[in-house]
Amino acid sequence: MMKLVGWITLLCWAGLATAQLEDKCICAPTDEHPEIPVDPKSACPKGDALAAQIEIENYGDYLVATSLNLRLSYLPTVDQQYQHLPLYIVADTVRIDAPISRDNQKIIVNARKIHVSKHGLIDDLGKWTFYAEDIEIHPKSAIKNLITSSKSKQDSNQEMLGLHQLLDFVEFKAVTTNTFDTRTGECMGLDKQHSNYDLDSLSPTFAWLNKQGELAQDSNLVWRSRLIQQYRGDIFEGKLLHKETISETYLKTVRTRLIADLEVKMSDIDSLLHSQRNSLVQRNLENLNILFQATEQLISGNFSEKIRETPLIQELELFRAARQVHLFLQDIHDSQSIKKKIQRNLKSFFPKENDFQFLRVFIQSNLGKNYALNHDLNLLAVKWMRIIDKAEELYQVLNIQFEYELELLLDNLRAEKSQSKVYQNRLVEWKSSNQLKLPGTASNTQSLIKLPTVPAQLFRNGRFDQRIWISDQRFNDFAHVRVHDIVVNIAGIDDKIVREHLKIVPLTSIMYDIDENDKELRYTSLPTSYPLADNEKPVTPFTLWRFLPDQHLTDILVQFESLEMIIEFQMTGIHVPGLTGEIKSDDCQMFKDNPFEFTDCKFGGESPFHNVYDIVSVMHLKEINHLFAEKYKAQQAGEQAGVATYIETDFVTTGDGECVDMTDIGGINANITDQVKLVTTLNTPLMYFPPELEGFMELQYELVDSVLTKKQQIENCDTGAVIDKDPKYEPVTGMIKITVPLSMISGDVTDEGKVILDLSEAAIEADLSYTNIYGKPKLMAEFKYHFMNAFTSAELATIQYRPDYDNLSKFTAPKRFLFQTVCRGCQKGKDDEGYLITLFETHSDNGVQISFPKDPESQELSHVLPSDVYTAGVYLGAHITFCDIYLESFQNSLIKERYRVTLTNSFNDAKPHQRELAILYDKDFCIDFGEDLLVDDDGQLSIPQQSFYFYSPTRGARSWMDNTDSEPKAGSKIAKLFRGFQDAFDQCNVCTSWWHWLVSLGIGCAIADAFNCLFMYVSGNLHTSAWVDATLAIYGEQLSNVTPDPECLSFVFPPMDLTPTVDIKLGPNGGVDDRSTRDKAIRRITKGSQEVLRLKHIASPSISLFAVVNLLFPGMKVIDAKEFYSPGTILMYGNIVKDYEPMPNLPDHCLNTDQKYVGF
């Protein structure tokens, strides 16, 4: 009998253009247009899952064939009339994969790599010339004398043409296929650990093309190759509207006009900032000066290193992104640039709406908490905000300019050198399929939107922003809607004045639309304003609209506190009866009295908030109002609960006084005025979210124990002496209503707590029993001043996140937060289903930068609680759950970095069209037992990655494995193996786990030991026939239920061991030795797989996750945590407490624990 001599290697699964972390396991890039199946189960380097139909192009004097991964057996034959022409083959990898015979008299191959398989053979090798940097010949190949050489100079015009054609295909591949290793795709933290250059399977191809271009001194090839390699992915969030109207002249004209306008306005800010330097705290003044310089540089595009390295500016993503835009615009036109960094997701580099909003927040927070009460500081803020609005428009133009110039440059470079029509036509077809094509027949439609209580201060401060969602029912029954005109009516103002002095601009960061199938579409657009000018075209209504009054209209609005607006959108669209745009998500309401059924229905088999929000906190409106009531009661009882309850105004005159000389009748020269002041206690506010005014919150206060003090004041105009006469005290009743934009309640969670509660754009209205037509407006202005002062002083101090614990995980520590509301159909009644939603960005490496509110319906935030049972919930995004918690638990095992998080088809049979996250092994488990012992070169036993899943059903985490149907010929392969396995090895020395060597070759045991670990010592004779029909199956599953610890506001997953069933079934002829060998193999496989598949202990640090619910109510117990679930995310339900209760100290077992916490 023979002694088994061979080698073992871990092979990567055949997949499209995937790059691995180890060079020896890099699968060659594959072609896929059109698709030809080869062997979907094969593992590289044996074969490819897909190959391309190669086309040979005729250029008169010669023929050229190009492809990325060219298998010579797929090269078509040439008509007899062209066989005398030389054939030039240019490819990244050329595979001699079968006996090859060509009728051409001369064949020249230029490739980065040539691979010769076991059965590869070249007939009449003398006709062939090979150039390659690398060659790999199978030891059993009959080809022994294939000689290749490297090019020292590239002077073949034919080969250069082929190289340009190859680049055509590489470009096509780069824009139509994800060529990056997707193992890290769902976990951004892992993605950041590797460079895009290393992750891109096309990197070796680009490097080779660059080298060939340099050898030929062809700067065109090098330049174009660099641009295609570096600038990858979509530039916009969606298709670009009105692309046909864009020209270089138009873009530069718009850009020049914007910059000139902004530079003039910055001088106003400089003057105002200088004049107010004595009104500001020194540190705030220093920050504002830095922000002023940064704003100037934002406009000019010249960013100084001094400003960029300022800690304040480094906290703002805007300036990094803005600088990148200007660097991109410079770099693409630099043919000599040697930059190699791949920008994998271009749209992530351009400034977004929320980037500009956070700049606004930083400016306002440094102006001081009551800046709105100072006329000049408020004017400074208004002018500065208008500049940022225009800067936002500028960068949208720059974004479009970059896309236009890059595409134009690539088209010119391509047309100059490449003559191939094959891949160019494919690229044109692909671009055409991505062009915006609206159906031809459109109908007129219109929609009326009534906004009853718009704060007039928004207009006086320069703008009013209003969001309109796709799910808004005012746009029923029409798809592909475009706005042609907007008519605005403001009660009390002539329509003609409004038309002439109000400009309406749709913000262009992202626009939305809906198609005939109720699917959301995304667009980007050039800046447009209504009424439309001659060269402007209509856009979709589903976006953020900005209403901009000029100074004339602003002056008129001074008399208003709030406005009633009616907006009429005049549109065209495709009539689709029954189209609503709503997410049909209310089916789960039938389970609102059953938390498990509700959770399973709502979230099970999905991945809630995956790559959308890190943490979401939801609290029921009526319970928040109850919590406010308890807070106010505590304040009125003498506790410092942090609310404003007592307001006392100064005296105001009820009319215009003047000096009257009464000396001729024995009096004095006196100014006699009637004066009044208000002393009141504010009762508990009623919070409400007006459904017709998206993004706003109302607080309504009842006045209690309120007294109006009236007096007459006599001032001696000659001496200045003042006498108060006949003070009278009258009770007063009434209501105070404040309407606040939620965008003004946001901020960063830092040591300084850059949290802003800005009432400068709020409307404060009063309905009082005091009705003096002269005195009431003045009294209300005075009341508003004191109310804002008291409210911001008290309430601002309570919006913060400063837990007193230091064992916080990064993935649950808030970094930034925003508020959103849902109150569809609310009527200020007890049955209102309204929610306050807090959206968090955390410090997690896998965290998602928070963006300004998305449609709550599309994110299914309208009904996220089993509302008959619970009134609050906290949700950890699925990407945090899987990447920071579950994956981290696996990473401590022996096979570190051999897992990946992926989106896969839902495991919930009731949701066949949904996708959810799961953890898989990174590649198939492939064992190559050595081809010397096998009849053919198909010598792998593999356990496909799809046979193992770790996922998260509603109650906990589940590991599942089953490969029983994955390898139907396993028995035949095992039989071939054992033909040469009669001479056994010694006892296994150091390797204790079959999975150990199977997945991580070379860690802890030698190759010879590895075989022995699997089968141990074999004595006697094995019967080959017993193994021919053998089967190898590994299967099993295990569930670990999430276990809450409500006292600690934390959760735990107990350790989980997956002990799979391992079954090797022998044929009928097996003897004692066969059965003994089988039993030993089963024991080894079981032990090894159990070690690797088990889930380590998972726990969250106490207080870390759900302390965020205390953002609005710090120091106070807010939620009684009741139930935890894990349907893709980890979520907690609970109830808002019924009584005011200070946050209790955590029990000792929460803070003093030896639990292993993930995330450190």
Side-chain angles (χ1 to χ4, degrees):
M1 290 294 176
M2 295 173 58
K3 188 173 184 179
L4 181 61
V5 179
W7 48 274
I8 303 173
T9 182
L10 175 64
L11 299 178
C12 60
W13 179 59
L16 181 61
T18 40
Q20 316 310 319
L21 301 179
E22 299 179 21
D23 290 341
K24 64 183 179 182
C25 200
I26 294 180
C27 298
T30 58
D31 301 343
E32 86 295 353
H33 191 90
E35 294 183 355
I36 298 176
V38 179
D39 181 3
K41 287 188 176 181
S42 65
C44 74
K46 184 188 62 175
D48 307 311
L50 300 169
Q53 180 69 54
I54 310 302
E55 295 189 38
I56 298 178
E57 295 188 79
N58 187 340
Y59 290 95
D61 296 330
Y62 57 92
L63 308 174
V64 176
T66 59
S67 182
L68 194 61
N69 189 24
L70 193 150
R71 301 168 70 95
L72 289 179
S73 62
Y74 287 2
L75 200 63
T77 58
V78 177
D79 290 345
Q80 185 175 0
Q81 57 181 322
Y82 302 122
Q83 290 176 0
H84 68 285
L85 298 176
L87 171 62
Y88 290 85
I89 298 173
V90 181
D92 173 87
T93 302
V94 171
R95 295 185 179 276
I96 306 174
D97 57 333
I100 304 298
S101 177
R102 301 296 306 179
D103 293 324
N104 300 80
Q105 298 304 307
K106 183 180 180 182
I107 304 105
I108 299 94
V109 176
N110 190 6
R112 179 183 65 85
K113 180 178 180 178
I114 292 176
H115 178 271
V116 184
S117 71
K118 178 179 179 180
H119 301 294
L121 185 64
I122 294 287
D123 181 37
D124 196 358
L125 195 57
K127 297 192 301 184
W128 294 72
T129 303
F130 293 93
Y131 298 100
E133 289 187 347
D134 187 19
I135 183 169
E136 182 179 306
I137 301 178
H138 191 279
K140 289 292 185 179
S141 171
I143 297 180
K144 299 298 184 183
N145 57 342
L146 191 148
I147 301 175
T148 66
S149 60
S150 298
K151 288 270 187 177
S152 59
K153 184 179 181 182
Q154 179 58 271
D155 54 5
S156 168
N157 292 331
Q158 296 90 341
E159 290 177 36
M160 287 307 302
L161 177 66
L163 289 166
H164 280 279
Q165 291 183 194
L166 174 58
L167 186 54
D168 289 342
F169 177 69
V170 171
E171 179 180 13
F172 176 75
K173 174 74 77 175
V175 297
T176 60
T177 307
N178 182 13
T179 66
F180 292 89
D181 181 354
T182 58
R183 182 182 63 83
T184 61
E186 303 301 334
C187 297
M188 289 187 290
L190 286 178
D191 219 20
K192 295 171 186 174
Q193 296 175 15
H194 310 286
S195 73
N196 289 331
Y197 188 89
D198 293 333
L199 291 174
D200 186 11
S201 63
L202 288 176
S203 289
T205 307
F206 281 117
W208 182 68
L209 283 168
N210 271 285
K211 182 176 180 181
Q212 297 300 306
E214 291 169 354
L215 290 174
Q217 297 182 341
D218 187 338
S219 60
N220 186 299
L221 180 66
V222 176
W223 191 2
R224 182 176 159 222
S225 176
R226 180 181 69 81
L227 291 178
I228 295 171
Q229 180 183 22
Q230 282 188 236
Y231 297 104
R232 310 284 283 279
D234 295 329
I235 295 175
F236 304 126
E237 292 287 343
K239 298 177 183 178
L240 180 62
L241 289 175
H242 319 319
K243 191 170 184 178
E244 69 279 3
T245 66
I246 297 175
S247 68
E248 185 175 5
T249 301
Y250 172 79
L251 290 170
K252 288 185 176 179
T253 300
V254 174
R255 175 180 175 181
T256 301
R257 175 176 52 80
L258 285 169
I259 292 175
D261 189 31
L262 287 169
E263 287 175 343
V264 171
K265 291 181 178 179
M266 282 304 292
S267 63
D268 294 341
I269 301 299
D270 191 19
S271 299
L272 282 168
L273 191 58
H274 182 75
S275 67
Q276 293 301 307
R277 61 187 183 278
N278 294 328
S279 304
L280 296 163
V281 177
Q282 181 61 32
R283 183 172 183 181
N284 287 352
L285 180 60
E286 292 172 358
N287 287 343
L288 288 170
N289 281 322
I290 292 171
L291 291 167
F292 173 79
Q293 294 177 64
T295 307
E296 283 189 314
Q297 295 177 13
L298 186 68
I299 296 167
S300 68
N302 298 317
F303 296 92
S304 69
E305 186 175 354
K306 178 181 177 181
I307 293 297
R308 284 191 290 112
E309 293 183 353
T310 304
L312 180 69
I313 299 303
Q314 288 184 340
E315 291 181 37
L316 288 164
E317 183 69 16
L318 172 60
F319 295 97
R320 184 207 62 79
R323 179 172 178 266
Q324 197 67 60
V325 172
H326 292 280
L327 291 177
F328 285 171
L329 281 166
Q330 295 171 17
D331 180 64
I332 60 174
H333 293 288
D334 183 2
S335 62
Q336 303 302 314
S337 174
I338 58 173
K339 292 181 179 179
K340 291 293 184 182
K341 186 175 182 180
I342 298 176
Q343 317 299 344
R344 178 174 170 185
N345 183 14
L346 275 175
K347 61 176 176 283
S348 67
F349 291 95
F350 291 92
K352 304 292 191 301
E353 174 195 342
N354 49 295
D355 295 326
F356 290 95
Q357 180 61 14
F358 285 128
L359 174 58
R360 296 183 184 100
V361 169
F362 273 42
I363 293 170
Q364 290 165 319
S365 62
N366 279 286
L367 285 171
K369 61 186 178 184
N370 292 320
Y371 77 86
L373 304 177
N374 179 313
H375 175 270
D376 290 333
L377 284 179
N378 190 59
L379 180 61
L380 172 63
V382 169
K383 287 181 175 288
W384 208 333
M385 296 308 107
R386 289 180 179 179
I387 286 173
I388 295 171
D389 294 343
K390 298 297 288 185
E392 187 173 358
E393 188 175 327
L394 169 64
Y395 276 87
Q396 185 62 24
V397 173
L398 291 174
N399 185 351
I400 294 170
Q401 181 180 343
F402 172 79
E403 190 272 349
Y404 173 83
E405 292 185 5
L406 176 61
E407 185 170 310
L408 182 64
L409 180 58
L410 285 172
D411 286 344
N412 291 337
L413 290 173
R414 189 186 310 113
E416 185 178 338
K417 288 286 187 177
S418 177
Q419 301 175 36
S420 171
K421 300 300 180 184
V422 177
Y423 295 119
Q424 285 194 40
N425 290 340
R426 293 178 187 174
L427 188 62
V428 171
E429 290 173 7
W430 175 80
K431 287 183 177 181
S432 177
S433 68
N434 281 275
Q435 292 294 318
L436 177 60
K437 297 177 182 178
L438 295 180
T441 305
S443 306
N444 292 326
T445 183
Q446 63 181 19
S447 180
L448 289 176
I449 298 176
K450 184 177 181 180
L451 306 175
T453 55
V454 178
Q457 188 64 43
L458 290 167
F459 284 93
R460 292 195 290 271
N461 286 350
R463 73 184 190 283
F464 161 55
D465 295 345
Q466 177 65 15
R467 294 183 186 276
I468 298 174
W469 305 120
I470 289 180
S471 59
D472 194 307
Q473 292 303 288
R474 293 166 292 209
F475 294 100
N476 274 352
D477 300 330
F478 280 87
H480 302 291
V481 183
R482 295 292 180 268
V483 179
H484 292 264
D485 197 9
I486 304 172
V487 179
V488 177
N489 303 107
I490 300 178
I493 303 178
D494 185 86
D495 291 347
K496 184 178 179 181
I497 293 176
V498 175
R499 180 78 173 178
E500 292 177 353
H501 299 282
L502 182 67
K503 185 167 69 172
I504 307 166
V505 178
L507 293 188
T508 52
S509 53
I510 305 175
M511 289 182 172
Y512 299 92
D513 196 6
I514 190 170
D515 68 9
E516 302 90 332
N517 300 315
D518 223 353
K519 296 292 181 62
E520 179 184 287
L521 307 174
R522 290 188 172 196
Y523 298 103
T524 296
S525 175
L526 284 164
T528 303
S529 63
Y530 291 80
L532 291 172
D534 292 339
N535 63 337
E536 293 176 321
K537 292 193 175 184
V539 298
T540 166
F542 301 116
T543 182
L544 177 63
W545 294 80
R546 178 163 289 163
F547 298 80
L548 301 167
D550 65 10
Q551 192 59 49
H552 178 77
L553 184 56
T554 300
D555 293 340
I556 295 175
L557 293 172
V558 169
Q559 60 183 300
F560 295 93
E561 186 63 29
S562 66
L563 307 172
E564 180 179 281
M565 294 177 60
I566 296 177
I567 307 170
E568 179 184 339
F569 286 88
Q570 297 178 355
M571 306 171 292
T572 57
I574 310 302
H575 187 231
V576 183
L579 193 69
T580 66
E582 275 200 326
I583 301 295
K584 310 300 188 295
S585 60
D586 288 343
D587 295 343
C588 301
Q589 286 299 101
M590 69 179 71
F591 302 118
K592 62 182 180 179
D593 61 347
N594 186 320
F596 170 72
E597 293 290 347
F598 175 86
T599 304
D600 196 47
C601 172
K602 185 80 173 179
F603 302 120
E606 303 179 32
S607 289
F609 311 116
H610 170 50
N611 283 341
V612 179
Y613 302 122
D614 291 350
I615 299 177
V616 176
S617 169
V618 176
M619 291 190 278
H620 201 289
L621 172 61
K622 63 184 178 182
E623 296 300 330
I624 296 175
N625 280 321
H626 176 81
L627 202 59
F628 268 124
E630 295 301 316
K631 229 179 156 183
Y632 271 69
K633 287 179 185 177
Q635 183 79 19
Q636 291 165 354
E639 295 190 38
Q640 291 299 317
V643 293
T645 59
Y646 178 79
I647 304 292
E648 180 176 355
T649 71
D650 296 331
F651 278 98
V652 298
T653 60
T654 60
D656 297 325
E658 60 179 346
C659 292
V660 179
D661 191 349
M662 295 177 286
T663 55
D664 58 343
I665 58 174
I668 62 173
N669 183 16
N671 178 18
I672 303 174
T673 56
D674 292 327
Q675 297 189 356
V676 63
K677 83 168 184 176
L678 176 66
V679 177
T680 184
T681 299
L682 300 178
N683 205 353
T684 304
L686 176 67
M687 183 184 286
Y688 178 64
F689 311 132
E692 69 280 0
L693 199 59
E694 174 62 42
F696 286 78
M697 173 181 67
E698 283 185 6
L699 292 172
Q700 186 169 292
Y701 297 83
E702 180 184 3
L703 303 186
V704 295
D705 300 328
S706 301
V707 176
L708 204 64
T709 303
K710 297 180 178 180
K711 70 178 182 179
Q712 190 178 68
Q713 187 179 82
I714 303 172
E715 178 187 4
N716 189 318
C717 295
D718 296 327
T719 66
V722 175
I723 299 173
D724 290 336
K725 184 181 178 182
D726 300 329
K728 296 178 181 179
Y729 304 95
E730 296 179 7
V732 64
T733 59
M735 303 289 292
I736 300 292
K737 183 177 74 173
I738 174 172
T739 305
V740 186
L742 285 172
S743 61
M744 292 294 98
I745 309 176
S746 60
D748 285 8
V749 181
T750 66
D751 292 338
E752 297 180 13
K754 289 189 181 67
V755 180
I756 184 168
L757 173 57
D758 185 358
L759 300 184
S760 64
E761 296 182 343
I764 301 179
E765 299 176 283
D767 180 13
L768 301 180
S769 58
Y770 173 64
T771 58
N772 184 292
I773 60 173
Y774 299 107
K776 183 178 178 181
K778 293 183 177 181
L779 182 62
M780 285 315 304
E782 181 71 11
F783 176 86
K784 183 175 181 178
Y785 175 90
H786 286 276
F787 176 83
M788 289 175 63
N789 195 8
F791 190 87
T792 53
S793 296
E795 301 287 351
L796 181 60
T798 71
I799 300 182
Q800 54 186 299
Y801 177 84
R802 291 176 182 167
D804 298 326
Y805 308 105
D806 57 6
N807 62 336
L808 298 177
S809 291
K810 290 166 61 176
F811 64 82
T812 57
K815 178 180 180 182
R816 220 169 245 141
F817 65 89
L818 297 170
F819 292 107
Q820 191 167 6
T821 63
V822 172
C823 210
R824 288 291 171 91
C826 286
Q827 301 292 329
K828 290 190 178 179
K830 64 179 182 179
D831 296 326
D832 283 351
E833 285 290 329
Y835 298 95
L836 178 66
I837 303 163
T838 314
L839 310 170
F840 295 92
E841 175 187 343
T842 71
H843 287 275
S844 167
D845 292 335
N846 298 295
V848 178
Q849 183 182 14
I850 196 169
S851 58
F852 273 75
K854 298 176 173 63
D855 185 347
E857 292 290 335
S858 68
Q859 299 302 322
E860 300 194 65
L861 286 169
S862 55
H863 296 98
V864 290
L865 294 174
S867 54
D868 284 358
V869 184
Y870 297 120
T871 57
V874 184
Y875 309 80
L876 190 64
H879 56 287
I880 301 293
T881 302
F882 273 82
C883 300
D884 284 89
I885 299 177
Y886 294 152
L887 185 62
E888 180 69 20
S889 298
F890 281 101
Q891 297 291 12
N892 294 322
S893 68
L894 292 171
I895 51 177
K896 185 176 176 64
E897 294 187 337
R898 283 299 177 190
Y899 300 89
R900 65 188 177 97
V901 178
T902 186
L903 268 174
T904 187
N905 293 331
S906 176
F907 294 95
N908 188 326
D909 294 336
K911 300 183 179 182
H913 303 298
Q914 292 291 338
R915 306 271 284 171
E916 66 176 307
L917 289 176
I919 297 177
L920 285 72
Y921 284 107
D922 187 24
K923 298 290 171 284
D924 279 1
F925 306 147
C926 302
I927 320 168
D928 192 325
F929 288 103
E931 297 176 3
D932 289 346
L933 295 175
L934 303 176
V935 175
D936 56 35
D937 62 354
D938 192 22
Q940 288 101 26
L941 282 178
S942 64
I943 300 174
Q945 57 166 320
Q946 292 89 346
S947 68
F948 171 78
Y949 287 104
F950 173 90
Y951 62 106
S952 184
T954 301
R955 288 200 185 277
R958 185 184 298 273
S959 284
W960 172 87
M961 184 169 190
D962 188 353
N963 75 320
T964 53
D965 298 324
S966 63
E967 191 61 82
K969 297 181 180 179
S972 298
K973 294 179 181 179
I974 295 174
K976 293 176 184 178
L977 170 68
F978 279 108
R979 270 183 245 160
F981 203 62
Q982 292 299 321
D983 293 340
F985 294 102
D986 294 333
Q987 183 74 12
C988 178
N989 295 320
V990 294
C991 182
T992 59
S993 162
W994 170 67
W995 225 274
H996 186 148
W997 62 263
L998 175 60
V999 184
S1000 293
L1001 177 64
I1003 302 179
C1005 60
I1007 292 177
D1009 291 331
F1011 281 101
N1012 208 25
C1013 288
L1014 174 57
F1015 296 108
M1016 293 299 293
Y1017 183 81
V1018 178
S1019 59
N1021 293 319
L1022 299 180
H1023 299 81
T1024 302
S1025 60
W1027 295 89
V1028 170
D1029 299 322
T1031 60
L1032 170 62
I1034 305 174
Y1035 53 93
E1037 62 180 308
Q1038 183 69 38
L1039 177 69
S1040 178
N1041 289 329
V1042 58
T1043 303
D1045 188 341
E1047 284 188 302
C1048 304
L1049 294 177
S1050 65
F1051 59 88
V1052 171
F1053 283 88
M1056 178 175 66
D1057 290 329
L1058 174 60
T1059 305
T1061 300
V1062 179
D1063 189 9
I1064 299 178
K1065 293 183 178 179
L1066 297 175
N1069 298 324
V1072 173
D1073 296 327
D1074 296 295
R1075 291 190 292 271
S1076 175
T1077 301
R1078 175 201 62 192
D1079 294 343
K1080 291 174 182 177
I1082 288 175
R1083 285 196 297 272
R1084 289 290 176 178
I1085 294 171
T1086 302
K1087 181 178 180 181
S1089 58
Q1090 178 184 3
E1091 173 63 25
V1092 169
L1093 295 177
R1094 75 189 190 105
L1095 182 67
K1096 309 299 182 184
H1097 180 78
I1098 294 177
S1100 73
S1102 300
I1103 210 68
S1104 63
L1105 176 56
F1106 301 110
V1108 296
V1109 302
N1110 278 42
L1111 191 71
L1112 288 173
F1113 305 95
M1116 175 181 178
K1117 185 175 181 181
V1118 177
I1119 293 180
D1120 278 327
K1122 295 296 184 182
E1123 293 191 60
F1124 284 63
Y1125 294 98
S1126 60
T1129 182
I1130 295 173
L1131 63 89
M1132 177 201 73
Y1133 296 132
N1135 286 313
I1136 296 177
V1137 296
K1138 296 297 184 183
D1139 300 303
Y1140 181 83
E1141 179 184 345
M1143 187 70 189
N1145 293 326
L1146 291 178
D1148 290 342
H1149 78 273
C1150 297
L1151 301 177
N1152 301 314
T1153 176
D1154 59 358
Q1155 289 185 134
K1156 166 71 172 71
Y1157 297 133
V1158 298
F1160 289 97

